[in-house]
Amino acid sequence: MKRLAILVSGRGSNFEAIARAIREGRLDARISLVLSNRADAKALETAASFGLPHHCLPSQGVATDEWARQAVDLLTPLDIDLICLAGFMRRVGQPLLDAFAGRILNIHPSLLPAFPGLDVQQQALDYGVKFSGCTVHFVDAGLDTGPIVAQASVPVLDSDTAQTLAARILVEEHRIYYQAIALVLSGRYRIEGRRVRPA
Ligand code: GAR
């Protein structure tokens, strides 16, 4: 069975959606480690409640590449097939990119390439877009720039705040992330330029 590592920093609702998909037989995989860069991440409690292996590697005051080296040391013996960033609010670092080339996915709450980075829903409201959404993409050295595996759109309503828009997008995140993971784990895709296509 394919092995996942889930990298988290906070609430962990995307991690939980993946864990539920596995538990309910919608995703054929195993979570070998939930790795947080913050000790106070709620995702760690959720991992414990699911009986899943979890660990904190604090990142405060640790250089990005040094953190990545420590993460590689933890993950390499676990024979991880795919790393899934799920609300991981830090750059992953070159050592992780090198060790897991083409095997790291991220979910981002906008229709990339619009609105990379942080405060994404506020960026979307400030720009005045009528639709936003979420993107699952491979992670490369750029900021939210890797090839796109899946996207889903939602309308932006006149009455929206960043919070109401985030909640509408989150429903779609939970729906598409495990499906994108299943596609990548199946290996039935090829990357042509920036395009991820069925193989
Ligand atoms: C999600 O909306 C995710 O897309 C976003 O953080 C939230 C985490 O929620 N990720 C990023 O912005 C990454 N740049 P969760 O912890 O409940 O999954």
Side-chain angles (χ1 to χ4, degrees):
M1 189 175 291
K2 301 282 187 180
R3 295 162 191 257
L4 304 177
I6 315 283
L7 268 54
V8 296
S9 299
R11 180 178 55 185
S13 73
N14 274 290
F15 148 58
E16 187 170 345
I18 295 164
R20 285 191 189 286
I22 291 173
R23 196 157 78 179
E24 294 165 9
R26 289 176 282 126
L27 174 61
D28 189 21
R30 153 193 317 174
I31 295 174
S32 295
L33 187 65
V34 178
L35 179 60
S36 175
N37 67 317
R38 294 181 57 118
D40 60 357
K42 183 168 172 277
L44 289 170
E45 288 169 33
T46 307
S49 75
F50 273 77
L52 291 170
H54 52 284
H55 188 79
C56 177
L57 208 51
S59 64
Q60 203 175 10
V62 181
T64 303
D65 282 1
E66 175 52 29
W67 192 90
R69 266 188 287 280
Q70 294 174 20
V72 169
D73 287 347
L74 263 177
L75 297 176
T76 302
L78 300 179
D79 222 359
I80 298 297
D81 294 289
L82 186 66
I83 295 176
C84 302
L85 311 185
F88 183 69
M89 304 310 270
R90 226 181 174 233
R91 301 295 283 269
V92 291
Q94 198 58 45
L96 267 169
L97 290 169
D98 290 341
F100 293 90
R103 293 190 293 144
I104 308 178
L105 289 181
N106 181 42
I107 186 143
H108 182 80
S110 75
L111 292 174
L112 290 170
F115 316 127
L118 299 175
D119 293 326
V120 172
Q121 291 84 6
Q122 194 59 50
Q123 286 191 58
L125 290 177
D126 291 347
Y127 199 91
V129 293
K130 301 300 185 190
F131 284 87
S132 190
C134 53
T135 303
V136 180
H137 63 93
F138 285 101
V139 174
D140 63 13
L143 179 63
D144 301 323
T145 51
I148 290 169
V149 181
Q151 288 187 308
S153 62
V154 304
V156 178
L157 307 182
D158 293 336
S159 56
D160 266 334
T161 62
Q163 288 72 30
T164 59
L165 178 57
R168 192 174 308 117
I169 292 171
L170 198 62
V171 173
E172 296 303 303
E173 294 186 39
H174 296 169
R175 187 176 65 78
I176 70 169
Y177 203 3
Y178 83 87
Q179 295 175 355
I181 291 167
L183 172 70
V184 171
L185 289 180
S186 78
R188 289 195 289 271
Y189 68 93
R190 60 180 190 277
I191 301 178
E192 289 174 3
R194 291 197 44 88
R195 301 182 75 178
V196 180
R197 316 179 87 164

